């Protein structure tokens, strides 16, 4: 009973300290955590549930000192279960460069990164483990996604913390008509969403090296899949802020599929000189300029507003659902762009200089 009370007390403390929205990235990839694999029953691996067939189950335990003993009786090591500890707090003065940041041309950060970010060509060597999206852009790009609120008349359609928004002043009114989303949750036409494609060296291999029915991506809800095979993976995240329009001309499945263009796995590739890369961290509204993320991320960001049809957006959510994703079908809250003091000094172009001399 004493153990149960301790566990419940700890769970309440974690819940109070970290609300459900934003917790996911705050708890991502505890660097020295214990990873416990769970074997599935059944003689035929191909008959497992589709979502489970792509990876072995995993549980992550956060690091930190063990809780004080509540009994003097000796314990049987074979029956002892690890008790998760609250995620450690990392003060920003002790942290490495953070994300999201201002990616406007001319903005200079103040924190020196210890390594150079991986370039665009590196992504093909990584494995995708997730796609999710945030309400508004988490990054800031002057003249592109820099509005503090959704365009007038646009329903926010979510209670999570919003980021920055793209203007829709140049969008014909007919393309801002409401759209009935079937698969995406709590989203609306006219809003901006920043999409994050997450790639990791530690993502699941099952499926990617198989043929036939198991030749699937292996992506999962949340970011835990980045840790599937290692506790210290290298991670690349592609970020693209897209405003949503209703394109009524996409009136057949073939047209929608063509416009969708496999958005589940690939962004709308920015033209040369439009994308940047920098060293940062995980994001999410659990962090700010005082409490920072301990997880290093190589960021690739499109500095311009993308325009995505509601039809292709909903088709993307259907593809996510078919892959087994459920929690990531609705927008997450956005972390505000970090201060210059917490931004990396150098932002590199993906291919060629983004600023004209």
């Amino acid at each position: 009973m004493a153990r149960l009370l301790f566990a419940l007390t700890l769970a309440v403390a974690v819940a109070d300290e970290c609300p459900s929205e934003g917790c996911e990235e705050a708890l991502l990839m505890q660097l020295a955590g214990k990873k416990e694999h769970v074997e599935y029953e059944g003689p035929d691996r191909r008959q497992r549930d589709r979502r489970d067939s792509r990876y072995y189950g995993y549980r992550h335990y956060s690091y930190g000192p063990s809780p004080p003993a509540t009994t003097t009786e000796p314990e049987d090591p074979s029956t002892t279960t690890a008790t998760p500890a609250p995620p450690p707090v990392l003060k920003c003065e002790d942290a490495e460069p953070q994300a999201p940041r201002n990616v406007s041309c001319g903005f200079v950060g103040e924190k020196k990164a210890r390594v150079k970010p991986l370039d665009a060509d590196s992504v093909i060597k990584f494995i995708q483990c997730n796609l999710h999206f945030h309400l508004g852009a988490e990054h800031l790009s002057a003249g592109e996604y820099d509005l503090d609120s959704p365009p007038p008349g646009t329903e926010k359609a979510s209670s999570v913390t919003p980021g920055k928004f793209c203007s829709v002043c140049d969008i014909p009114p007919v393309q801002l008509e409401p759209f009935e989303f079937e698969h995406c949750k709590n989203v609306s036409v006219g809003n901006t969403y920043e999409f994050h494609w997450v790639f990791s060296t530690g993502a699941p291999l099952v499926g990617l090296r198989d043929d036939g029915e198991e030749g699937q991506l292996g992506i999962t809800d949340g970011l835990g899949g980045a840790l599937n095979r290692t506790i210290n993976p290298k991670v690349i995240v592609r970020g693209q802020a897209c405003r949503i329009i209703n394109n009524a001309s996409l009136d057949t499945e073939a047209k929608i599929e063509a416009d969708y263009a496999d958005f589940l796995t690939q962004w709308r590739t920015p033209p040369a000189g439009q994308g940047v890369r920098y060293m940062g961290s995980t994001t999410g509204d659990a962090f700010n300029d005082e409490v920072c993320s301990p997880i290093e991320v190589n960021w690739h960001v499109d500095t311009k507003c993308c325009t995505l049809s509601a039809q292709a957006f909903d088709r993307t959510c259907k593809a996510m659902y078919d892959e087994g994703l459920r929690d990531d079908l609705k927008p997450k809250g956005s972390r505000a762009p970090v201060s210059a003091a917490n931004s990396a000094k150098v932002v590199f172009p993906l291919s060629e200089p983004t600023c004209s001399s």
Side-chain angles (χ1 to χ4, degrees):
M1 180 59 72
R3 286 176 178 275
L4 178 59
L5 290 175
F6 175 81
L8 291 174
T9 302
L10 181 59
V12 171
V14 173
D16 289 341
E17 185 173 305
C18 185
S20 57
E21 285 295 344
C23 251
E24 178 179 277
E25 297 193 38
L27 295 173
L28 167 66
M29 292 185 284
Q30 301 299 333
L31 294 180
K34 172 184 176 183
K35 183 165 68 173
E36 176 183 321
H37 289 288
V38 180
E39 299 291 344
Y40 291 91
E41 297 180 356
D44 189 350
R45 189 181 65 166
R46 291 182 179 274
Q47 294 180 0
R48 293 178 302 192
D49 177 81
R50 180 181 181 185
R51 181 181 179 189
D52 291 341
S53 69
R54 295 191 301 269
Y55 63 104
Y56 290 117
Y58 47 82
R59 300 187 184 117
H60 300 295
Y61 297 97
S62 52
Y63 56 99
S66 300
T70 57
T71 178
T72 57
E73 296 180 5
E75 297 182 356
D76 181 355
S78 65
T79 61
T80 302
T81 302
T83 301
V89 172
L90 176 65
K91 296 296 184 181
C92 287
E93 58 263 31
D94 300 323
E96 294 300 300
Q98 295 289 291
R101 59 165 289 152
N102 188 332
V103 292
S104 305
C105 186
F107 179 85
V108 178
E110 300 173 4
K111 184 160 285 192
K112 184 177 180 179
R114 301 177 191 276
V115 294
K116 189 174 181 179
L118 296 169
D119 60 23
D121 292 338
S122 300
V123 174
I124 61 175
K125 303 174 185 178
F126 282 55
I127 302 171
Q128 185 181 2
C129 60
N130 179 257
L131 168 64
H132 64 271
F133 50 92
H134 296 257
L135 175 59
E138 291 204 293
H139 288 84
L140 168 65
S141 182
E144 292 293 327
Y145 36 91
D146 59 358
L147 302 179
D148 291 329
S149 59
T154 300
E155 182 183 0
K156 182 178 175 183
S158 179
S159 60
V160 299
T161 304
K164 301 295 182 179
F165 292 84
C166 300
S167 172
V168 293
C169 291
D170 59 334
I171 302 297
V174 67
Q175 292 188 342
L176 295 177
E177 293 292 327
F179 176 83
E180 190 68 30
F181 287 88
E182 181 180 355
H183 304 285
C184 300
K185 310 299 181 184
N186 301 333
V187 299
S188 62
V189 169
N191 270 344
T192 298
Y193 300 94
E194 182 169 320
F195 294 84
H196 289 168
W197 291 262
V198 185
F199 302 85
S200 171
T201 56
L205 285 174
V206 175
L208 288 173
R209 58 185 179 186
D210 293 339
D211 295 325
E213 294 180 358
E214 284 196 323
Q216 305 297 327
L217 281 175
I219 65 175
T220 60
D221 269 322
L223 304 180
L227 276 172
N228 187 262
R229 295 177 296 107
T230 177
I231 62 173
N232 60 339
K234 291 187 181 300
V235 177
I236 296 176
V237 178
R238 284 175 167 172
Q240 190 164 50
C242 298
R243 56 187 180 176
I244 308 302
I245 65 168
N246 185 348
N247 188 350
S249 67
L250 301 176
D251 53 3
T252 67
E253 285 298 318
K255 291 179 180 179
I256 294 174
E257 185 67 23
D259 189 54
Y260 159 66
D262 199 20
F263 200 63
L264 172 69
T265 65
Q266 57 190 5
W267 62 356
R268 304 293 197 244
T269 304
Q274 186 171 299
V276 297
R277 57 191 167 100
Y278 71 91
M279 291 307 303
S281 67
T282 55
T283 65
D285 54 5
F287 302 115
N288 50 47
D289 270 328
E290 295 181 359
V291 177
C292 279
S293 166
I295 310 304
E296 182 178 275
V297 172
N298 295 266
W299 277 96
H300 297 172
V301 181
D302 185 358
T303 62
K304 304 293 185 182
C305 283
C306 146
T307 299
L308 181 70
S309 72
Q311 290 80 358
F313 190 8
D314 208 37
R315 174 66 182 80
T316 301
C317 288
K318 181 183 184 302
M320 294 168 69
Y321 184 92
D322 290 344
E323 285 294 326
L325 278 66
R326 298 295 182 269
D327 295 338
D328 287 338
L329 301 179
K330 59 181 182 296
K332 301 181 182 301
S334 292
R335 179 183 184 179
V338 300
S339 65
N342 290 317
S343 300
K345 284 186 175 182
V346 182
V347 169
F348 299 84
L350 278 176
S351 54
E352 61 185 36
T354 57
C355 300
S356 58
S357 57

